[in-house]
Amino acid sequence: MRQIILLALATTLLLACSQEEKGSEMDGFVDDLMSQMTIEEKIGQLNLITPGGGIPTGSAVSTDVEAKIIEGKVGGIFGVTGPEKVRQAQTLAVERSRLKIPMLFGSDVIHGYKTVFPIPLGLSASWDMAMIEKTARVAAEEATADGLNWNFSPMVDISRDARWGRVAEGGGEDPYLGSQIARAMVRGYQGDDLTAANTMMATVKHFALYGAPEGGRDYNTVDMSRIRMFNDYFPPFLAAIEEGAGSIMTSFNDVDGVPASANKWLLTDILRDRWDFDGFVVSDYTSVNEMVDHGLGDLQAVSALALKAGLDMDMVGEGFLTTLKNSLDEGTVSEEAINKACRRILQAKYQLGLFDDPYRYIDDSRPENRILTEANRSFARDVAARSAVLLKNANQTLPLGRHTRIALVGPLANNKNNMLGTWAVSGDPQMSVPLLEGLQKSLGTNARIQYAKGANISDDPAFAEKVNVFGTRIDIDERSPELMLREALTMANSSDVIVAVVGEASEMSGESSSRSDITLPENQKKLVRALAQTGKPLVLVIMSGRPLALEEENELADALLLTWHAGIEAGNGIADVLLGVYNPSGKLTMTFPRNVGQTPIYYNQRVTGRPNPGDEFQKFRSNYLDVPNSPLFAFGYGLSYTSFEYSDVVIDETSIQPDGQLKASVKVTNTGDFEGEEVVQLYIRDVIRSLTPPVKELKAFEKINLKPGESKEVTFTLNVDDLAFYHQDLRLAAESGDFKVFIGPNSDTDNSTDFRLEE
Ligand code: BGC
């Protein structure tokens, strides 16, 4: 035993030494390089440009790209992809610029590269960390094969507000789950060797609090207490940093009145001093320039503020490039600050192995062998199925029988343009599989499908124009809505079951796509009402990028399957679920409100002094006159074609010592007829403490698979760290006293027992 411990110690020491050696080798290399650099060249490294191959989301795009690269005025570039183009650009840097410093090649690879997976909110609904990690791994394989080495992902912004369109890009509302996802994605992108030609540097974004804009309106003001930041919004960032994420992107919003890109408290006091982050910080698209509009001064002033606050790289706006030298001459920024930022960027390039081989990521044979392979597509199909959430299944309407006559209707049933979802810049919508095709292929000669569009996504041309900025997403049919509806009803009447595919166009969520009304557009509601009136069993397949308010649809339909925007293999994956080839196991990672007025709504709300736990209105309690407090579907909720029974919670000790632990278990039994997976969730409640406690907090989960009749015991270990929370002085500590531990199928569970944390 002693020998093993000694050996382990020796290995750890060796590892630490070799890391230190590597670190000092890197420092030596960077010192030497920086000693040769002019101040202009150093500032050049802080400049990130785009010649416009991506999505220009701000007011500027870069000009004179080639000349700037040659003059050493560019540290990184994005929107350039493919071995040939990347090689051309890199050649300018490493053969024609004075010091031959290679560039970073960035991109937004948000949910897959060409093999597009479901939107991140959908991925999170799988609660399957190994699978999520693999989606990031596949994305990195493909993106690096196209010459990229730096990814603007993962987005780990917690959000509790379905109006905000960018909820589509994140992992939902919960800090614990969000942290696990952040870790999985960083591991997937970066692997364990950043210099490998198939790994890329991750960027955790958007730091910070971007998911809590007032009114759910993108880019709007955020104002939040520090205990909320630390307990709820920061954890995924810290987790990603602990996992080794190489870079961080700032957010557009202000934090405590100071825009994030110039917020010293955020970028230095928290990020560097408290969390020891040693990667580099990049701004968001023109977020430095936007501080002029924020009212902080002119471009030179805001650029100086940003650098001094701890920002290292300026995305697209060229505030750093065009003003830092003046600020240095005028004494408003120091050379030391410029050196610090430049050093961090050079270090990132070193860590990626670019100084050894600037063409490391460029290999003409890779795209064909690595991108959109059959294996990747078949994985994407599986992922699409595993991200779907079954919200309702009355009378076991699903799965569908293979000989059933299906009326497949709805504006999203055969609509390639909307399968990929938001932020899928590298994906080709035309390569995607809509549900009509998926069902036809799966059913083969058994297929008895009639298809009708039934309705437009929206009938409103002005609305369609706003959504169609990146191509046609809402296609208003030449036929009248009445005619389309009649056609759908005729088909519905001669079928055994109606499958209506309704929801949002992909660009109805995502950046700059906030909505103040999160129901289905009125014309789609009409379609659903008319279909329900036929009396035929009605299945709604709902595609969306955010939680929708589905109270009416929940009443009208027999089954509801939420598929999000499910990616390139959407139709195949969804067909697998509808036909029972895959038994759905997804669970919501954002609470689904009854109506938009309930937002922000989230399960881990703090208790009030006038709680109203039931749904009955009580005067002078915290509730509404016109809607119950409870959501339509709770966080963690999702059904299966089978049913699971939970035993009572059993704990091995009734109290935890401060240095001890406690085991909490349940027995879960598959009591239905299908094999299926279940996400077993553990929540705690701190009963008495010095800060108002959340009603419940997720602290652990496990996804298990059970055959019909099979049982499994699931055991979780809790220790004092799981009970800790940030206090007003931002200290992380647990408080002794009474706790509850809940284990169940969703956040609504009351399957619980009590324990104590001893002093
Ligand atoms: C978005 C970022 C993105 C950047 C570059 C911005 O508008 O907020 O998430 O990485 O554009 O495309």
Side-chain angles (χ1 to χ4, degrees), residues 48 50 54-58 78 107-110 151-153 155 157 166 169 203 205-206 210 218-219 249-252 283-286 290 315-316 423 425 511:
L48 172 62
T50 178
I55 297 179
T57 58
F78 71 106
S107 188
D108 289 277
V109 184
I110 308 296
N151 196 3
F152 305 151
S153 172
M155 180 185 111
D157 295 305
R166 296 195 86 169
E169 286 177 66
T203 309
K205 69 189 191 185
H206 307 82
Y210 185 38
D218 208 1
Y219 318 126
M249 189 186 292
T250 60
S251 56
F252 289 116
S283 79
D284 204 345
Y285 201 111
T286 59
E290 289 164 26
M315 189 190 288
V316 181
W423 269 120
V425 264
E511 188 167 349

Short mmCIF file of all heavy atoms in Angstrom, two decimals, residues 48 50 54-58 78 107-110 151-153 155 157 166 169 203 205-206 210 218-219 249-252 283-286 290 315-316 423 425 511, ligand 1:
data_model
loop_
_atom_site.label_atom_id
_atom_site.label_comp_id
_atom_site.label_asym_id
_atom_site.label_seq_id
_atom_site.Cartn_x
_atom_site.Cartn_y
_atom_site.Cartn_z
N LEU A 48 -8.65 41.14 -33.12
CA LEU A 48 -9.35 40.00 -33.75
C LEU A 48 -10.24 40.55 -34.85
O LEU A 48 -11.04 41.46 -34.61
CB LEU A 48 -10.20 39.27 -32.70
CG LEU A 48 -11.14 38.18 -33.20
CD1 LEU A 48 -10.36 37.04 -33.84
CD2 LEU A 48 -11.97 37.62 -32.03
N THR A 50 -12.59 39.92 -38.66
CA THR A 50 -13.31 38.98 -39.51
C THR A 50 -13.51 39.58 -40.89
O THR A 50 -13.98 40.71 -41.01
CB THR A 50 -14.69 38.57 -38.94
OG1 THR A 50 -15.31 37.70 -39.88
CG2 THR A 50 -15.60 39.76 -38.66
N GLY A 54 -18.58 34.90 -41.27
CA GLY A 54 -19.53 34.45 -40.26
C GLY A 54 -20.78 35.30 -40.30
O GLY A 54 -21.23 35.72 -41.37
N ILE A 55 -21.31 35.60 -39.12
CA ILE A 55 -22.49 36.46 -39.08
C ILE A 55 -22.06 37.79 -38.49
O ILE A 55 -21.58 37.84 -37.36
CB ILE A 55 -23.58 35.84 -38.19
CG1 ILE A 55 -24.04 34.51 -38.79
CG2 ILE A 55 -24.75 36.79 -38.02
CD1 ILE A 55 -25.10 33.81 -37.96
N PRO A 56 -22.17 38.89 -39.24
CA PRO A 56 -21.80 40.18 -38.66
C PRO A 56 -22.89 40.64 -37.69
O PRO A 56 -23.92 41.14 -38.12
CB PRO A 56 -21.71 41.10 -39.89
CG PRO A 56 -22.52 40.42 -40.95
CD PRO A 56 -22.69 38.98 -40.61
N THR A 57 -22.66 40.45 -36.40
CA THR A 57 -23.71 40.77 -35.44
C THR A 57 -23.57 42.17 -34.84
O THR A 57 -24.37 42.58 -34.04
CB THR A 57 -23.70 39.75 -34.28
OG1 THR A 57 -22.40 39.78 -33.68
CG2 THR A 57 -23.99 38.36 -34.77
N GLY A 58 -22.51 42.87 -35.23
CA GLY A 58 -22.33 44.22 -34.71
C GLY A 58 -22.31 45.21 -35.85
O GLY A 58 -22.60 44.87 -37.00
N PHE A 78 -11.65 35.36 -37.64
CA PHE A 78 -12.72 34.37 -37.71
C PHE A 78 -13.59 34.62 -38.93
O PHE A 78 -13.57 35.70 -39.52
CB PHE A 78 -13.54 34.30 -36.42
CG PHE A 78 -14.44 35.48 -36.13
CD1 PHE A 78 -15.82 35.37 -36.30
CD2 PHE A 78 -13.92 36.67 -35.66
CE1 PHE A 78 -16.66 36.43 -36.00
CE2 PHE A 78 -14.75 37.75 -35.37
CZ PHE A 78 -16.11 37.62 -35.55
N SER A 107 -14.06 30.48 -34.64
CA SER A 107 -15.38 30.34 -35.24
C SER A 107 -16.43 30.07 -34.16
O SER A 107 -16.08 29.70 -33.04
CB SER A 107 -15.39 29.18 -36.24
OG SER A 107 -16.61 29.18 -36.93
N ASP A 108 -17.68 30.27 -34.51
CA ASP A 108 -18.78 29.91 -33.62
C ASP A 108 -19.25 28.51 -33.98
O ASP A 108 -20.10 28.34 -34.85
CB ASP A 108 -19.94 30.88 -33.80
CG ASP A 108 -19.65 32.26 -33.24
OD1 ASP A 108 -19.81 32.44 -32.04
OD2 ASP A 108 -19.24 33.14 -34.03
N VAL A 109 -18.66 27.52 -33.34
CA VAL A 109 -19.10 26.14 -33.57
C VAL A 109 -19.93 25.78 -32.33
O VAL A 109 -19.42 25.27 -31.35
CB VAL A 109 -17.90 25.20 -33.75
CG1 VAL A 109 -18.36 23.79 -34.07
CG2 VAL A 109 -16.98 25.72 -34.85
N ILE A 110 -21.22 26.06 -32.41
CA ILE A 110 -22.02 26.11 -31.19
C ILE A 110 -22.68 24.76 -30.87
O ILE A 110 -22.70 24.33 -29.74
CB ILE A 110 -23.09 27.22 -31.30
CG1 ILE A 110 -22.46 28.54 -31.72
CG2 ILE A 110 -23.88 27.37 -30.01
CD1 ILE A 110 -21.48 29.12 -30.75
N ASN A 151 -12.57 27.96 -30.68
CA ASN A 151 -14.02 27.93 -30.76
C ASN A 151 -14.68 28.94 -29.81
O ASN A 151 -14.29 29.01 -28.65
CB ASN A 151 -14.52 26.52 -30.41
CG ASN A 151 -15.95 26.31 -30.84
OD1 ASN A 151 -16.56 27.19 -31.44
ND2 ASN A 151 -16.49 25.16 -30.53
N PHE A 152 -15.66 29.66 -30.29
CA PHE A 152 -16.42 30.58 -29.43
C PHE A 152 -17.57 29.82 -28.76
O PHE A 152 -18.74 30.14 -28.92
CB PHE A 152 -16.96 31.77 -30.22
CG PHE A 152 -15.92 32.54 -30.98
CD1 PHE A 152 -16.26 33.22 -32.16
CD2 PHE A 152 -14.62 32.63 -30.53
CE1 PHE A 152 -15.30 33.94 -32.87
CE2 PHE A 152 -13.65 33.35 -31.23
CZ PHE A 152 -14.00 34.00 -32.41
N SER A 153 -17.25 28.82 -28.05
CA SER A 153 -18.22 27.98 -27.37
C SER A 153 -17.48 27.28 -26.23
O SER A 153 -16.26 27.08 -26.35
CB SER A 153 -18.79 26.96 -28.38
OG SER A 153 -19.61 26.00 -27.74
N MET A 155 -21.34 28.37 -24.64
CA MET A 155 -22.07 29.43 -23.98
C MET A 155 -22.68 28.82 -22.72
O MET A 155 -23.44 27.86 -22.81
CB MET A 155 -23.19 29.99 -24.85
CG MET A 155 -23.92 31.09 -24.07
SD MET A 155 -25.36 31.77 -24.85
CE MET A 155 -26.62 31.14 -23.77
N ASP A 157 -24.23 30.67 -20.21
CA ASP A 157 -25.08 31.63 -19.51
C ASP A 157 -26.33 30.97 -18.96
O ASP A 157 -27.14 30.43 -19.71
CB ASP A 157 -25.50 32.76 -20.47
CG ASP A 157 -24.31 33.58 -20.91
OD1 ASP A 157 -23.60 34.10 -20.03
OD2 ASP A 157 -24.08 33.69 -22.14
N ARG A 166 -31.59 33.83 -26.63
CA ARG A 166 -30.35 33.05 -26.56
C ARG A 166 -30.40 31.92 -25.54
O ARG A 166 -29.41 31.22 -25.36
CB ARG A 166 -29.16 33.98 -26.32
CG ARG A 166 -28.98 34.94 -27.50
CD ARG A 166 -27.64 35.62 -27.50
NE ARG A 166 -26.62 34.81 -28.15
CZ ARG A 166 -25.41 35.27 -28.47
NH1 ARG A 166 -25.07 36.51 -28.18
NH2 ARG A 166 -24.53 34.49 -29.07
N GLU A 169 -29.06 28.73 -26.85
CA GLU A 169 -27.62 28.43 -26.95
C GLU A 169 -27.02 27.91 -25.66
O GLU A 169 -25.82 27.62 -25.62
CB GLU A 169 -26.87 29.70 -27.32
CG GLU A 169 -27.01 30.14 -28.74
CD GLU A 169 -26.27 31.46 -28.95
OE1 GLU A 169 -25.05 31.47 -28.85
OE2 GLU A 169 -26.95 32.47 -29.17
N THR A 203 -13.87 28.69 -25.72
CA THR A 203 -14.12 30.02 -25.16
C THR A 203 -15.42 29.96 -24.37
O THR A 203 -16.47 29.66 -24.91
CB THR A 203 -14.32 31.07 -26.28
OG1 THR A 203 -13.25 30.97 -27.19
CG2 THR A 203 -14.38 32.47 -25.70
N LYS A 205 -18.44 31.61 -22.65
CA LYS A 205 -19.06 32.91 -22.84
C LYS A 205 -20.47 32.89 -22.27
O LYS A 205 -21.02 31.81 -22.05
CB LYS A 205 -19.07 33.27 -24.33
CG LYS A 205 -20.00 32.41 -25.21
CD LYS A 205 -19.76 32.70 -26.68
CE LYS A 205 -20.85 32.07 -27.54
NZ LYS A 205 -20.62 32.21 -28.96
N HIS A 206 -21.06 34.04 -22.02
CA HIS A 206 -20.52 35.40 -22.15
C HIS A 206 -20.38 35.92 -20.73
O HIS A 206 -21.39 35.94 -20.02
CB HIS A 206 -21.47 36.30 -22.95
CG HIS A 206 -21.86 35.72 -24.30
ND1 HIS A 206 -22.85 34.80 -24.46
CD2 HIS A 206 -21.38 35.96 -25.54
CE1 HIS A 206 -22.97 34.48 -25.75
NE2 HIS A 206 -22.09 35.17 -26.44
N TYR A 210 -25.13 37.57 -18.88
CA TYR A 210 -25.80 37.94 -20.13
C TYR A 210 -27.21 37.37 -20.20
O TYR A 210 -28.08 37.93 -20.88
CB TYR A 210 -24.92 37.43 -21.28
CG TYR A 210 -25.33 37.78 -22.68
CD1 TYR A 210 -25.88 39.02 -22.99
CD2 TYR A 210 -25.14 36.87 -23.72
CE1 TYR A 210 -26.22 39.33 -24.31
CE2 TYR A 210 -25.47 37.17 -25.02
CZ TYR A 210 -26.02 38.39 -25.31
OH TYR A 210 -26.35 38.69 -26.61
N ASP A 218 -32.67 41.19 -25.53
CA ASP A 218 -31.23 40.95 -25.74
C ASP A 218 -30.45 42.25 -25.61
O ASP A 218 -30.91 43.32 -26.02
CB ASP A 218 -30.99 40.32 -27.13
CG ASP A 218 -29.72 39.46 -27.13
OD1 ASP A 218 -29.08 39.35 -26.07
OD2 ASP A 218 -29.40 38.88 -28.18
N TYR A 219 -29.26 42.14 -25.04
CA TYR A 219 -28.29 43.23 -24.85
C TYR A 219 -28.73 44.24 -23.79
O TYR A 219 -28.08 45.26 -23.60
CB TYR A 219 -28.00 44.01 -26.16
CG TYR A 219 -27.83 43.17 -27.41
CD1 TYR A 219 -28.60 43.42 -28.56
CD2 TYR A 219 -26.90 42.15 -27.47
CE1 TYR A 219 -28.44 42.67 -29.72
CE2 TYR A 219 -26.73 41.39 -28.63
CZ TYR A 219 -27.51 41.66 -29.75
OH TYR A 219 -27.35 40.92 -30.90
N MET A 249 -15.02 34.87 -23.17
CA MET A 249 -15.55 36.03 -23.90
C MET A 249 -16.41 36.86 -22.95
O MET A 249 -17.21 36.31 -22.19
CB MET A 249 -16.39 35.55 -25.09
CG MET A 249 -16.82 36.67 -26.04
SD MET A 249 -17.96 36.08 -27.34
CE MET A 249 -16.89 35.03 -28.30
N THR A 250 -16.26 38.17 -23.05
CA THR A 250 -17.08 39.04 -22.21
C THR A 250 -18.48 39.15 -22.80
O THR A 250 -18.72 38.75 -23.94
CB THR A 250 -16.47 40.45 -22.11
OG1 THR A 250 -16.40 40.99 -23.44
CG2 THR A 250 -15.10 40.43 -21.48
N SER A 251 -19.37 39.73 -22.03
CA SER A 251 -20.75 39.89 -22.51
C SER A 251 -21.01 41.34 -22.90
O SER A 251 -20.23 42.23 -22.58
CB SER A 251 -21.73 39.44 -21.43
OG SER A 251 -21.51 40.14 -20.23
N PHE A 252 -22.13 41.55 -23.57
CA PHE A 252 -22.48 42.91 -24.04
C PHE A 252 -23.03 43.80 -22.92
O PHE A 252 -22.96 45.01 -23.00
CB PHE A 252 -23.57 42.81 -25.12
CG PHE A 252 -23.10 42.25 -26.44
CD1 PHE A 252 -23.61 41.06 -26.93
CD2 PHE A 252 -22.17 42.93 -27.22
CE1 PHE A 252 -23.22 40.55 -28.17
CE2 PHE A 252 -21.77 42.43 -28.45
CZ PHE A 252 -22.29 41.24 -28.93
N SER A 283 -13.20 40.16 -26.18
CA SER A 283 -14.48 40.89 -26.07
C SER A 283 -15.51 40.19 -26.94
O SER A 283 -15.18 39.29 -27.71
CB SER A 283 -14.31 42.33 -26.57
OG SER A 283 -14.31 42.35 -27.99
N ASP A 284 -16.76 40.59 -26.84
CA ASP A 284 -17.74 40.13 -27.82
C ASP A 284 -17.68 41.09 -29.02
O ASP A 284 -16.96 42.10 -29.01
CB ASP A 284 -19.14 40.05 -27.22
CG ASP A 284 -20.01 39.05 -28.01
OD1 ASP A 284 -19.63 38.68 -29.14
OD2 ASP A 284 -21.08 38.67 -27.52
N TYR A 285 -18.44 40.77 -30.03
CA TYR A 285 -18.40 41.48 -31.31
C TYR A 285 -18.64 42.98 -31.12
O TYR A 285 -19.75 43.38 -30.77
CB TYR A 285 -19.48 40.89 -32.21
CG TYR A 285 -19.30 41.11 -33.69
CD1 TYR A 285 -18.99 40.06 -34.54
CD2 TYR A 285 -19.46 42.36 -34.26
CE1 TYR A 285 -18.85 40.23 -35.90
CE2 TYR A 285 -19.32 42.56 -35.62
CZ TYR A 285 -19.01 41.49 -36.44
OH TYR A 285 -18.87 41.67 -37.79
N THR A 286 -17.62 43.76 -31.31
CA THR A 286 -17.66 45.23 -31.12
C THR A 286 -18.15 45.68 -29.74
O THR A 286 -18.61 46.81 -29.58
CB THR A 286 -18.51 45.95 -32.21
OG1 THR A 286 -19.85 45.46 -32.19
CG2 THR A 286 -17.94 45.79 -33.59
N GLU A 290 -19.07 49.47 -28.32
CA GLU A 290 -20.43 49.74 -27.84
C GLU A 290 -20.46 50.48 -26.51
O GLU A 290 -21.48 51.02 -26.11
CB GLU A 290 -21.22 48.41 -27.75
CG GLU A 290 -21.54 47.90 -29.15
CD GLU A 290 -21.96 46.43 -29.19
OE1 GLU A 290 -22.48 45.93 -28.18
OE2 GLU A 290 -21.76 45.81 -30.25
N MET A 315 -12.65 42.16 -30.27
CA MET A 315 -13.26 41.51 -31.42
C MET A 315 -13.82 42.54 -32.41
O MET A 315 -14.75 43.28 -32.09
CB MET A 315 -14.39 40.56 -30.98
CG MET A 315 -14.92 39.68 -32.10
SD MET A 315 -16.43 38.77 -31.70
CE MET A 315 -15.87 37.54 -30.58
N VAL A 316 -13.22 42.60 -33.57
CA VAL A 316 -13.68 43.33 -34.75
C VAL A 316 -13.65 44.87 -34.67
O VAL A 316 -13.35 45.53 -35.66
CB VAL A 316 -15.11 42.87 -35.19
CG1 VAL A 316 -15.57 43.61 -36.43
CG2 VAL A 316 -15.13 41.38 -35.47
N TRP A 423 -27.68 29.76 -34.71
CA TRP A 423 -26.22 29.66 -34.60
C TRP A 423 -25.69 28.35 -35.14
O TRP A 423 -25.01 27.59 -34.43
CB TRP A 423 -25.73 29.86 -33.16
CG TRP A 423 -25.42 31.30 -32.85
CD1 TRP A 423 -26.02 32.05 -31.89
CD2 TRP A 423 -24.45 32.15 -33.49
NE1 TRP A 423 -25.48 33.34 -31.90
CE2 TRP A 423 -24.52 33.42 -32.87
CE3 TRP A 423 -23.54 31.96 -34.54
CZ2 TRP A 423 -23.72 34.49 -33.25
CZ3 TRP A 423 -22.73 33.04 -34.92
CH2 TRP A 423 -22.84 34.28 -34.27
N VAL A 425 -23.87 28.38 -38.16
CA VAL A 425 -23.30 29.09 -39.31
C VAL A 425 -22.62 28.17 -40.32
O VAL A 425 -22.63 28.43 -41.51
CB VAL A 425 -22.26 30.17 -38.91
CG1 VAL A 425 -22.88 31.51 -38.84
CG2 VAL A 425 -21.53 29.82 -37.64
N GLU A 511 -29.68 34.89 -31.14
CA GLU A 511 -29.27 36.27 -30.83
C GLU A 511 -30.24 37.27 -31.43
O GLU A 511 -30.75 37.10 -32.54
CB GLU A 511 -27.85 36.52 -31.37
CG GLU A 511 -27.32 37.86 -30.90
CD GLU A 511 -25.83 38.04 -31.13
OE1 GLU A 511 -25.14 37.06 -31.48
OE2 GLU A 511 -25.35 39.18 -30.96
C1 BGC B 1 -22.14 36.85 -30.18
C2 BGC B 1 -21.08 35.86 -29.76
C3 BGC B 1 -20.33 35.37 -30.97
C4 BGC B 1 -19.77 36.56 -31.73
C5 BGC B 1 -18.93 36.17 -32.92
C6 BGC B 1 -21.62 37.91 -31.10
O1 BGC B 1 -22.64 38.71 -31.60
O2 BGC B 1 -22.71 37.43 -29.02
O3 BGC B 1 -21.66 34.81 -29.05
O4 BGC B 1 -19.31 34.49 -30.56
O5 BGC B 1 -20.85 37.37 -32.15
O6 BGC B 1 -19.67 35.64 -33.93
#
